[in-house]
């Protein structure tokens, strides 16, 4: 009976947790922006440089409810958010929800591809170094540290220099075609592979010297057989546990990568919104990113249990 | 985060023995870090030119014997600018790390010692901060507070705080339930003495390690913000701002992008290697 209730309680706890996170993000931004000196009506009309007339400012204050008491504005804002209305962007004069719906698929595709490539690179390097002894381990360790230390914005520039300007193989900016995705994906995947590789390789090495690997060898299994049939699963575990963190790393990196490669996406939208201080758009992107992050975290919990039987009995 | 979760394996001496090249890597990283710190303290001893002196006749020179890393669009020597850039770039990273660690110490200690409700409340706060990973939290903070060096330092510090706080909280909770603390309580030591003499010194040991490991990440994030035009403004000899200027001339003057970026990679890699070395020593002690 208790076991049947457990998943229900788990889902309920996750939903409540997500709702709390979204409420907190919306509340922090709402009150944060009002603690900063400056006229919100002026911001709506394009900032202090816009030279808005007093009549126009008065009009905006009435239209956006800025003449209401602060708590009434807050309640109205929360009410709109609960109904799924993210408001209109100050800079683009479009519903924020539509803008985000247009931008989200590009970022999700970029993140998913990058995660896949990062996993393949990290596992490949771990497997290669495990089968090739000490020197390979040092090489792999050095490669991982270097890859993890490389900032996205610099890697993107160097890749453009190499593959677009010198070799002319790939387009330097988004052209809408599939080969425009290669450089952005590599830019996001390499540093992530450096981080993931460090943990995956250590986990793989530990598995290779464990009793179950020894007994597999005693049964006559070759080194690569032990690696693929036994150690690979152990190397994947920390990767799964870190996939929520990895997704966050990709969302954060997408801000830089999308703006360098001129790709439409959530990150570039957020950067533009921050530069123009378009608060409804910033709030919208922050809420959608937070929701996506919470969902991925929950999914990685489930995946971790599915991949590691030891967690289920515990 | 991944660097922290890999900690357990460092307790395994056999694993350390498997990487004989590690020692050489650590010595090289220590030497490079010393060089960077020296450049930050005494840039004029290493740099032959004024980092801000404009000389239009020398604009866009490729790397040569006179200008090792070439010159930029105003004829400024890139090598001198990279050397002079060490101080602002490292200071910004260090300040951000200090803010992040300070905030994390406050939250982590309160959560680890303050009882169930405080622990629960701080846990929820951290969950909210975690939901805007990396640059996202920094960007939202800048959207509210406006761009600039000071806000970008605070923004980066804020984004690193939740990761540190979670580790410090775990450490405090672990020490608190250790036999050593139990013994001190049974012996009738006052709570203040138990806290000051036993819990804090043991729980705060990893702070130094975390700071060393995190410094590189902070330098990378802060320079990313400068690159995006939200941190140090362009004429400054700061690595991220130099890269932002080089972006316009990527097709013609590759040296404007390559060298400042290498400096960031060097700083970040040193911080990782040295942080992990400290971590291994702290654990094996």
């Amino acid at each position: 009976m208790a076991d049947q209730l457990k998943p229900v309680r788990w889902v309920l706890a996750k939903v409540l947790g997500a709702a709390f996170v979204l409420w907190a993000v919306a509340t922090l931004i709402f009150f944060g922006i009002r603690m900063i000196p400056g006229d919100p009506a002026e911001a709506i009309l394009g900032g202090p440089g816009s030279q808005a007339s007093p009549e126009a400012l008065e009009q905006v204050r009435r239209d956006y409810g800025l003449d209401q008491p602060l708590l009434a504005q807050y309640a109205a804002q929360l009410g709109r958010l609960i109904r799924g209305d993210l408001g209109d962007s100050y800079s683009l004069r479009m519903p924020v929800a539509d803008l985000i719906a247009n931008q989200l698929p590009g970022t999700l595709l970029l993140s998913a591809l990058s995660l896949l490539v990062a996993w393949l690179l990290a596992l490949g390097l771990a497997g290669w170094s495990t089968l090739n002894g000490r020197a390979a381990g040092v090489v792999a360790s050095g490669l991982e540290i270097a890859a993890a230390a490389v900032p996205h914005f610099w890697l993107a520039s160097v890749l453009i220099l190499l593959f677009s300007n010198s070799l002319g193989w790939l387009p330097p900016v988004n052209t809408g075609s599939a080969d425009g995705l290669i450089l952005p994906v590599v830019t996001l995947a390499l540093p992530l592979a450096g981080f993931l590789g460090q943990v995956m390789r250590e986990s793989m090495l530990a598995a290779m010297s464990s009793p179950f690997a020894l007994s597999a060898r005693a049964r006559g299994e070759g080194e690569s057989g032990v690696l693929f049939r036994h150690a690979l699963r152990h190397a994947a575990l920390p990767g799964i546990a870190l996939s929520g963190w990895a997704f966050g790393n990709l969302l954060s990196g997408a801000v830089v990568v999308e703006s360098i490669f001129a790709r439409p996406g959530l990150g570039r939208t957020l950067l533009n919104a921050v530069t123009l201080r378009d608060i409804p758009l910033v709030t919208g992107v922050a809420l959608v990113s937070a929701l996506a992050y919470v969902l991925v975290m929950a999914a990685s919990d489930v995946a971790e249990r599915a991949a590691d039987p030891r967690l289920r009995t515990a | 985060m991944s660097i922290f979760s890999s900690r357990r394996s460092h307790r395994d001496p056999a694993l350390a023995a498997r990487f004989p090249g590690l020692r050489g890597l650590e010595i090289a990283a220590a030497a490079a870090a010393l060089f960077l710190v020296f450049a930050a303290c005494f840039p004029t001893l290493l740099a032959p030119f004024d980092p801000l002196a404009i000389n239009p006749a020398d604009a866009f020179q490729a790397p040569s014997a006179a200008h090792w890393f070439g010159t930029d669009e105003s004829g400024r020597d890139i090598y001198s600018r990279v050397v002079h850039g060490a101080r602002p770039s490292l200071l910004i990273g260090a300040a951000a790390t200090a803010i992040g660690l300070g905030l994390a110490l406050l939250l982590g200690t309160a959560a680890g010692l303050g009882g169930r409700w405080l622990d629960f409340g701080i846990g929820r706060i951290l969950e909210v901060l975690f939901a805007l990973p990396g640059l996202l939290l920094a960007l939202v903070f800048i959207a509210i507070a406006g761009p600039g060096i000071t806000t970008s330092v605070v923004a980066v510090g804020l984004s690193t705080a939740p990761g540190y706080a979670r580790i410090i909280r775990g450490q405090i909770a672990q020490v608190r339930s250790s036999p050593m603390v139990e013994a001190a309580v049974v012996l009738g030591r006052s709570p203040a003495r138990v806290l000051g003499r036993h819990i804090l010194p043991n729980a705060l040991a990893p702070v130094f390690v975390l700071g060393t490991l995190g410094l590189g990440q902070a330098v990378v994030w802060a320079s990313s913000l400068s690159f995006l035009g939200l941190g140090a403004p362009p004429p400054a000899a700061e690595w991220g701002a130099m890269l932002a200027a080089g972006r316009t001339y990527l097709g013609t003057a590759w040296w404007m992008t390559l060298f400042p970026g290498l400096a960031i990679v060097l700083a970040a890699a040193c911080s990782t290697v040295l942080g992990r070395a400290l971590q291994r020593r702290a654990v094996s002690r």
Side-chain angles (χ1 to χ4, degrees):
Chain A
M1 189 67 185
D3 274 6
Q4 281 166 344
L5 276 175
K6 251 185 182 166
V8 179
R9 274 186 61 183
W10 183 85
V11 169
L12 210 65
K14 289 284 166 186
V15 169
L16 275 179
F20 169 77
V21 165
L22 295 181
W23 166 79
V25 169
T27 303
L28 281 176
I29 297 179
F30 180 87
F31 286 107
I33 199 72
R34 273 157 182 85
M35 274 162 49
I36 301 299
D39 185 349
E42 206 170 51
I44 292 170
L45 289 172
S50 64
Q51 308 271 327
S53 67
E55 295 78 28
L57 287 173
E58 201 48 52
Q59 179 68 34
V60 165
R61 276 192 200 104
R62 258 200 312 280
D63 289 352
Y64 284 82
L66 295 173
D67 47 358
Q68 306 279 317
L70 193 60
L71 283 179
Q73 289 182 41
Y74 174 62
Q77 161 86 345
L78 279 190
R80 277 194 299 273
L81 289 179
I82 287 168
R83 276 180 271 122
D85 176 8
L86 296 171
D88 284 353
S89 152
Y90 293 166
S91 58
L92 297 163
R93 311 274 164 208
M94 264 178 77
V96 169
D98 294 356
L99 276 167
I100 291 176
N102 287 336
Q103 307 293 332
L104 191 58
T107 302
L108 289 182
L109 177 69
L110 183 66
S111 309
L113 282 177
S114 306
L115 190 60
L116 182 72
V117 173
W119 264 73
L120 291 177
L121 283 174
L123 280 177
L125 189 64
W128 170 79
S129 74
T130 306
L131 290 178
N132 286 283
R134 289 183 170 199
V138 176
V139 171
S141 177
L143 283 176
E144 285 157 4
I145 289 172
V150 171
H152 289 123
F153 62 99
W154 185 68
L155 183 57
S157 307
V158 171
L159 288 176
I160 291 175
L161 270 174
L162 209 62
F163 291 100
S164 305
N165 293 352
S166 298
L167 297 170
W169 291 351
L170 294 164
V173 292
N174 174 43
T175 51
S177 61
D179 60 354
L181 257 171
I182 297 177
L183 290 185
V185 165
V186 172
T187 304
L188 281 175
L190 270 183
L192 183 58
F195 281 114
L196 289 179
Q198 292 175 25
V199 258
M200 286 181 171
R201 196 165 45 85
E202 277 175 9
S203 182
M204 190 180 265
L205 277 173
M208 288 299 274
S209 57
S210 67
F212 66 75
L214 186 67
S215 78
R217 284 190 198 101
R219 287 196 304 272
E221 190 117 52
E223 278 305 287
S224 57
V226 178
L227 182 94
F228 282 107
R229 263 186 282 281
H230 301 282
L232 201 58
R233 194 169 161 126
H234 283 260
L237 288 178
I240 295 172
L242 283 173
S243 52
W245 170 86
F247 178 69
N249 176 290
L250 291 171
L251 272 187
S252 164
V255 174
V256 175
V257 168
E258 285 171 357
S259 73
I260 292 184
F261 290 102
R263 289 189 62 77
L266 219 51
R268 187 159 162 237
T269 306
L270 177 63
L271 179 64
N272 289 339
V274 168
T275 312
L276 299 167
R277 301 187 79 178
D278 185 341
I279 297 304
L281 194 50
V282 171
T283 310
V285 176
L287 288 175
V288 170
S289 312
L291 182 63
Y293 184 74
V294 171
L295 287 177
V296 170
M297 278 309 235
S300 91
D301 273 8
V302 174
E304 211 182 345
R305 279 171 171 268
D308 191 346
R310 290 170 300 184
L311 289 176
R312 272 173 260 161
T313 49
Chain B
M1 286 277 290
S2 64
I3 26 191
F4 305 131
S5 48
S6 67
R7 217 157 98 206
R8 189 164 37 102
S9 53
H10 290 295
R11 288 193 195 122
D12 179 3
L15 202 71
R18 257 188 232 134
F19 302 114
L22 213 58
R23 185 104 193 116
L25 199 64
E26 282 167 12
I27 293 170
L34 269 179
F35 178 78
L36 286 175
V37 170
F38 185 79
C41 295
F42 311 106
T44 43
L45 292 181
L46 292 170
F49 296 98
D50 181 338
L52 295 171
I54 290 174
N55 186 3
D58 274 350
F60 298 121
Q61 300 269 319
S64 64
H67 299 285
W68 295 352
F69 294 176
T71 61
D72 68 3
E73 77 278 16
S74 306
R76 292 173 293 216
D77 181 50
I78 305 262
Y79 169 69
S80 302
R81 284 173 65 73
V82 169
V83 168
H84 280 270
R87 185 182 294 173
S89 306
L90 295 182
L91 269 183
I92 288 173
T97 309
I99 291 175
L101 274 176
L103 205 61
L105 270 176
L106 215 67
L107 290 173
T109 316
L113 295 175
R116 268 184 70 185
W117 286 106
L118 201 56
D119 191 17
F120 179 81
I122 290 173
R124 298 290 79 72
I125 293 175
L126 292 183
E127 222 160 77
V128 173
L129 295 180
F130 271 122
L132 292 171
L135 284 179
L136 297 192
L137 184 61
L139 284 172
V140 168
F141 180 77
I142 290 173
I144 293 172
I149 294 189
T150 319
T151 30
S152 77
V153 168
V154 178
V156 171
L158 200 61
S159 341
T160 57
Y164 296 143
R166 186 173 278 185
I167 294 166
I168 292 171
R169 183 209 159 271
Q171 194 75 21
I172 293 218
Q174 198 188 338
V175 175
R176 197 187 174 190
S177 59
S178 69
M180 169 188 72
V181 170
E182 219 170 284
V185 173
V186 170
L187 285 172
R189 303 276 188 254
S190 72
R193 192 184 150 117
V194 173
L195 184 67
R197 292 288 297 274
H198 300 291
I199 297 182
L200 286 183
N202 282 296
L204 302 189
V207 167
F208 195 58
V209 174
L210 287 179
T212 313
L213 275 172
L215 183 64
Q217 187 69 57
V219 169
V220 167
W221 280 354
S223 62
S224 300
L225 290 177
S226 300
F227 177 77
L228 296 172
L230 300 168
E238 189 264 351
W239 296 334
M242 290 177 69
L243 281 159
R247 189 178 171 186
T248 322
Y249 310 105
L250 189 60
T252 48
W254 52 267
W255 50 89
M256 284 179 68
T257 289
L258 185 70
F259 296 111
L262 278 179
I264 299 174
V265 175
L266 187 67
C270 283
S271 127
T272 307
V273 173
L274 294 179
R276 296 187 77 168
L278 284 176
Q279 194 173 55
R280 220 174 13 257
R281 275 165 195 58
V283 169
S284 62
R285 188 150 42 85

